[in-house]
Amino acid sequence: MALFDAYAGSYDAWFTTLRGQVVWEVERKLLCDFLRPRPGEEILDAGCGTGLLTKELAARGVNVTGIDISPAMLAVAREKTREFPNVVLARADITALPLPSCVFDGVVCFTALEFVSRPGEALREMWRVLKPGGRMVLGVLNALSPWAWARAGRGVFAHAHFYSYRGMRALIKETLGRVPLRWAGAVYFPPCCPEFCLRYAGLFELLGSAFARPFGAVLVFRIDKVR
């Protein structure tokens, strides 16, 4: 909590840069392609942070419950989503959700598991509150990406546990057993990419997903809860 409280005021600054905007556009598209949010659905944004994804989902007509352990992060999220009556924000730990079982059509957790000391407990809790027939989408920072090497030991990332595809797959299997799962990577252009090259981000994504799938900056997993 103290870690993210300290970064809350500056956390979104990177997303206002050209590089940050391009990265978020790639990540946002993949997350929403996997989650497939539909108007009127109940979606949990677990570890919502400053509400970047919360706002995106709310704008699509989804009823979003955003939870985070950091009061300062939630304060930013409240300001960002104040125009949306379909957003509820609350302080909670994703390893012990104060929510009933089987209430959400979808659960999304983006770049939060990296900072959780008991990720298995977090997965079990998110699975518990998901309805049968629902889907859970997990986005994690990839340990095998040049972005992880560039971020290692810096700022908030000094406290992160980066995941490889195999490591994340093993965590899911150990926690939830054999479940229907599909995955993809995103953000294949390198962190040192000159800004003029960012106009070709779509080409990087096309080539990366075809030939370097396990090495994107983020890995996104969709797990379906069979009825």
Side-chain angles (χ1 to χ4, degrees):
M1 180 181 68
L3 170 66
F4 284 99
D5 279 352
Y7 282 96
S10 59
Y11 191 82
D12 284 345
W14 186 73
F15 293 102
T16 66
T17 66
L18 177 60
R19 194 178 308 274
Q21 290 171 7
V22 173
V23 166
W24 173 241
E25 176 59 23
V26 171
E27 294 172 340
R28 178 200 65 77
K29 184 178 185 304
L30 181 57
L31 286 166
C32 290
D33 283 351
F34 268 42
L35 186 61
R36 296 289 180 188
R38 294 183 289 273
E41 285 192 315
E42 299 291 335
I43 303 291
L44 173 66
D45 186 0
C48 65
T50 60
L52 200 62
L53 183 57
T54 309
K55 182 179 179 180
E56 171 70 25
L57 294 173
R60 291 170 178 251
V62 171
N63 298 317
V64 191
T65 299
I67 65 100
D68 202 273
I69 200 170
S70 166
M73 285 284 199
L74 285 171
V76 177
R78 286 192 180 94
E79 180 64 22
K80 190 177 295 179
T81 60
R82 61 180 177 175
E83 65 185 278
F84 295 99
N86 51 331
V87 171
V88 174
L89 298 172
R91 181 171 175 249
D93 185 339
I94 62 174
T95 65
L97 293 172
L99 297 165
S101 299
C102 304
V103 291
F104 292 101
D105 301 292
V107 174
V108 61
C109 180
F110 183 55
T111 60
L113 284 176
E114 297 88 334
F115 301 95
V116 175
S117 59
R118 294 176 293 152
E121 289 299 312
L123 281 182
R124 272 188 281 271
E125 278 292 272
M126 289 186 284
W127 194 249
R128 177 183 65 79
V129 301
L130 185 64
K131 293 178 181 177
R135 65 275 188 203
M136 180 162 68
V137 174
L138 309 170
V140 294
L141 300 172
N142 185 6
L144 302 182
S145 166
W147 285 86
W149 311 334
R151 288 165 166 167
R154 296 186 178 184
V156 69
F157 300 109
H159 305 272
H161 172 78
F162 295 87
Y163 287 91
S164 66
Y165 162 72
R166 288 188 176 182
M168 193 63 192
R169 184 69 183 264
L171 174 64
I172 293 169
K173 183 179 178 181
E174 178 185 344
T175 306
L176 305 178
R178 294 187 179 275
V179 289
L181 178 150
R182 63 186 179 96
W183 70 283
V187 188
Y188 288 98
F189 57 87
C192 58
C193 180
E195 284 198 352
F196 75 87
C197 290
L198 295 176
R199 70 185 68 178
Y200 304 111
L203 180 59
F204 276 106
E205 296 310 298
L206 183 64
L207 295 174
S209 60
F211 302 108
R213 192 180 177 202
F215 303 106
V218 298
L219 301 172
V220 177
F221 296 79
R222 170 169 163 157
I223 311 163
D224 290 282
K225 191 171 187 178
V226 178
R227 294 182 183 274

